[in-house]
Amino acid sequence: MSDQQEVKIVFTPSGRQGQVAKGTNLLQAARQLGVDIDSVCGGRAMCGRCQIDVGEGQFAKHGLTSSAASLSAASASEARYAEKRGLPDGRRLACQCSVEDNLVVDVPATSQVHNQLVRKAADNRVIALNPPVRLCFIEVREPDMHEPSGDLRRVIEALQVQWPDRIAGEVRCALHVLQGLQSCLRKGKWQITVAVRGGNQIIAVWPSLKTQILGAAIDVGSTTISAQLCDMNTGEVLAATGIMNPQIRFGEDLMSRVSYGLRNEGGAAEMTKSVREGLQQLLEGGAKQAGMTPEDVLEVVLVGNPVMHHLLLGIDPIELGGAPFALAIDTATEMRASELDLKLHAGSMVYVLPCIAGHVGADAAGVVLAEAPQNREDFSLLIDVGTNAEIVLGNKDRLLAASSPTGPAFEGAQISAGQRAAPGAIERLRIDPETLEPRYSVIGSDIWSDQEGFEEAVKNTGITGICGSGIIETLGEMYLTGIITAEGVIDGSLASRTDRIQQDGRTFKYQITDTVSVLQNDVRAIQLAKAALHAGFRLLMDKMALSKVDRVILAGAFGSYIDPKYAMILGIVPDCSLDKVIAAGNSAGAGARMALLNIDQRQTIEETVRQIEKIETAVEADFQNHFVRAMAFPHKTDPYPCLSAAVTLPVRDLSDNVASEDNPGRRRGGRRVRNNA
């Protein structure tokens, strides 16, 4: 038995408390006690999201005395963070201190994992129904002394006679069904409803008539998990719901979570448990919204990126953290829901779409299934923007797939005032080209900041930061109005025209509100993210020998709310007609719903994925050259003619100053152009 001393921690405002071993890291202690303290960097003292305040004094209610001395002294990393970015007096980074004595910890609102405004709702896509599970109401012969046959035999006989179109091959029966079959038959007076899966598996029975069962299509994203609960008979979406992925407390980006599993014994299992609990919570909430119970869920289809895919299945994703990024499994798979610790109907099954490559997952397969580029003559570019962008390019003749390490900047992380999409976040912004004054709208209000009633509309939420779509529009407007150059530099000379542009150390910043500003480092973070994304799809275009694409599909929650014009102004998407840039919404979830409601779609996506060629950007020699050129807005050398015809862009120098491999010292010539509307 361990004689290690334990200390008591009380977290406020949640009220959670418990005993932990003396010397335990405070962020780890919070996780042990179920306290959600935000962390983007995975405990590296980089993001500052895990700030906490120490309670000082005697807390009679909890029977302890707490002080700053209850924590270890500031680490070198914490001191560097405080010097570089500042920490309020008395505040600490939870990831950098250990618990040395009894302690009361206050978690400020800025450090809590807030409920995100989840925007992955069901679309209006029409799906041909051919569900894997069918309900069959049957009348069964009563037992007869003169013809001894078991109840199951007579049930199968009734199915074959009364539902010949739904029964194929030898019928099997799950043990849990058999265990309750006799009582069910007698309770229903020999009339029962049978759930048959795949035409030959009895997975559930109910006495009398049951008219409705549920299926769930779930997109397990790294930031949010969204579910659509459907009536398996009609295909109607009865509930669409979502939650924050509870794994966020282990790290906001995927590699932070892989790193957490690597650095903490049992970390992968801990994250698996967390995401499965999140799924259970989501399914229970969705079933309640549909007026039913989790026991009514008989089929689940899951999609997710490779790291989420593996953690959900209980597979340590450590091999995905480095080359050659080997997947444990890339084919579709199915299992009982109970094997994933989901408390649904005992006969409920889970189908998981196939992954495409080490960093192109089952969610990308869902996007392909929903958008069907393999059925088109023209060339489609599918982009699912997340902490890791998944990209598919092609048509009916050929499909290529790749991923780009964009990081979480597009979702508001790595941005000084950035946050996830929640009430109070700036999501739209325009800048007057003459005065350089901004006007904006925030999530939770339809009123813009220059309209009467704005202050009252945001009184409850305030202006808390800026989300992904907001930072994209802000940078796009800053570029169009000349506040930032094509190279992404905030032009300090404009400070003479407006107080909005202010000195910020050796660089400048653009002040939107008293608390929200855009720093030079924010611009650079978006440049790095968009350059990685641009280089990824440009590589695929090179492989396909394409100079342009016919249409661009922006998938996911980010793609749903980003204005295609601003995405193109920044170079997040290639040049094409603006009306051909389509915000498709949660295509991954739509693909999951297609596979849920039509079993033929499962074969379709499995066959399609086997034909997709995988391009690994990390080993492509041209990736770096494409990346460097893509750092400029919208691009260093591409004139973006379609965009230029629709938007007046600033004068750009299109000289290519990127050294070629053959002649590293050579600079290729270019030209200066003004793009007019």
Side-chain angles (χ1 to χ4, degrees), residues 139-160:
E139 296 182 352
V140 181
R141 286 191 298 112
E142 295 187 38
D144 188 330
M145 288 287 291
H146 301 290
E147 195 262 309
S149 59
D151 286 344
L152 177 60
R153 182 191 297 274
R154 284 178 281 106
V155 166
I156 294 173
E157 173 191 273
L159 283 171
Q160 292 171 331

Side-chain angles (χ1 to χ4, degrees), residues 189-442:
K189 298 180 180 178
W190 309 102
Q191 294 182 333
I192 62 172
T193 302
V194 181
V196 180
R197 188 174 192 270
N200 62 359
Q201 300 174 62
I202 299 175
I203 62 170
V205 293
W206 299 268
S208 304
L209 176 65
K210 183 174 180 62
T211 60
Q212 202 171 42
I213 55 172
L214 295 176
I218 303 179
D219 176 10
V220 186
S222 54
T223 304
T224 63
I225 308 176
S226 63
Q228 300 167 31
L229 272 76
C230 304
D231 184 320
M232 294 295 284
N233 292 323
T234 66
E236 179 186 359
V237 177
L238 301 177
T241 185
I243 60 168
M244 293 293 297
N245 188 329
Q247 286 184 349
I248 283 179
R249 67 179 184 265
F250 303 106
E252 191 151 341
D253 63 274
L254 296 174
M255 288 303 102
S256 290
R257 295 182 204 176
V258 174
S259 177
Y260 179 84
L262 179 64
R263 293 187 289 110
N264 296 275
E265 185 177 354
E270 193 178 355
M271 288 186 285
T272 292
K273 182 175 183 288
S274 174
V275 73
R276 290 179 178 178
E277 288 175 348
L279 281 185
Q280 183 68 35
Q281 176 188 343
L282 191 68
L283 287 163
E284 288 176 359
K288 183 177 181 180
Q289 184 179 328
M292 302 178 75
T293 72
E295 280 282 320
D296 293 306
V297 178
L298 266 73
E299 189 81 9
V300 178
V301 172
L302 296 170
V303 297
N305 62 59
V307 173
M308 290 298 97
H309 173 280
H310 277 38
L311 285 172
L312 184 62
L313 296 179
I315 302 169
D316 193 330
I318 187 171
E319 293 297 330
L320 298 173
F325 313 111
L327 290 159
I329 178 173
D330 59 2
T331 56
T333 183
E334 66 178 34
M335 68 289 300
R336 293 191 179 280
S338 58
E339 294 181 79
L340 299 183
D341 302 323
L342 297 179
K343 298 174 180 63
L344 308 174
H345 191 281
S348 184
M349 297 292 292
V350 176
Y351 173 84
V352 187
L353 268 67
C355 288
I356 297 174
H359 283 160
V360 187
D363 51 350
V367 174
V368 171
L369 182 59
E371 303 304 332
Q374 71 275 12
N375 296 334
R376 299 175 64 100
E377 292 278 352
D378 57 359
F379 285 90
S380 302
L381 176 66
L382 314 181
I383 302 174
D384 193 348
V385 180
T387 54
N388 187 65
E390 296 171 314
I391 310 164
V392 177
L393 172 66
N395 65 357
K396 67 181 185 61
D397 298 318
R398 188 184 184 197
L399 289 174
L400 303 179
S403 66
S404 279
T406 53
F410 287 145
E411 297 178 340
Q414 300 178 343
I415 305 300
S416 58
Q419 66 168 84
R420 291 183 288 273
I426 294 173
E427 64 171 345
R428 309 290 303 280
L429 185 138
R430 299 291 181 269
I431 298 175
D432 186 292
E434 299 300 325
T435 65
L436 303 184
E437 283 293 302
R439 63 186 188 93
Y440 47 85
S441 66
V442 301

